[in-house]
Amino acid sequence: QCLLSGSWRSDTGCRMVVSVLGEDGSFSGSYLLGPATGDSKILTSPLEGSQQDAGLVPQPIFSFTVRWRLQARTTVFLGQCYVGTNGEETLHALWLLREAAESPAEDWKATR
């Protein structure tokens, strides 16, 4: 059964810590950038999200938003939790980063 509470590490060394998992599937926690980002400062930012009821769906879909501190950026993640044959839980997710644009003319480069 996939439950997001706890600590997760990405392939790039970023870490997500889900500290509160509500009965309704909502969760909150923090996101810590890893060494692969090239940022010399370690930046921890709050996250909030939700997942499907793991009791109804054994490999639930989840989403969460990270509001980056000290930067005009927000990242959204959308993915699914998988349970392997050995019982190990793995998260697969896509992300979309949005930075503040200076003007509508600069909007085209504000989303990665």
Side-chain angles (χ1 to χ4, degrees):
Q1 179 175 337
C2 278
L3 293 174
L4 292 180
S5 59
S7 181
W8 299 86
R9 186 170 306 277
S10 75
D11 294 340
T12 60
C14 296
R15 193 168 61 126
M16 173 177 80
V17 178
V18 176
S19 54
V20 177
L21 184 59
E23 290 183 22
D24 62 352
S26 65
F27 60 89
S28 62
S30 59
Y31 196 87
L32 176 67
L33 289 175
T37 62
D39 192 341
S40 60
K41 294 180 182 177
I42 296 177
L43 186 64
T44 302
S45 296
L47 67 83
E48 292 186 30
S50 64
Q51 78 170 57
Q52 288 179 312
D53 185 343
L56 299 175
V57 182
Q59 301 187 116
I61 294 170
F62 64 87
S63 64
F64 64 92
T65 302
V66 176
R67 291 173 290 123
W68 299 105
R69 292 187 183 184
L70 309 176
Q71 299 175 347
R73 295 179 176 177
T74 297
T75 303
V76 293
F77 293 79
L78 177 65
Q80 188 167 357
C81 183
Y82 293 100
V83 180
T85 55
N86 61 356
E88 183 176 315
E89 298 171 337
T90 304
L91 305 181
H92 288 244
L94 297 173
W95 58 269
L96 190 62
L97 175 107
R98 177 66 189 209
E99 297 177 295
E102 296 292 324
S103 69
E106 298 293 314
D107 188 64
W108 65 274
K109 66 179 183 179
T111 302
R112 292 187 250 167

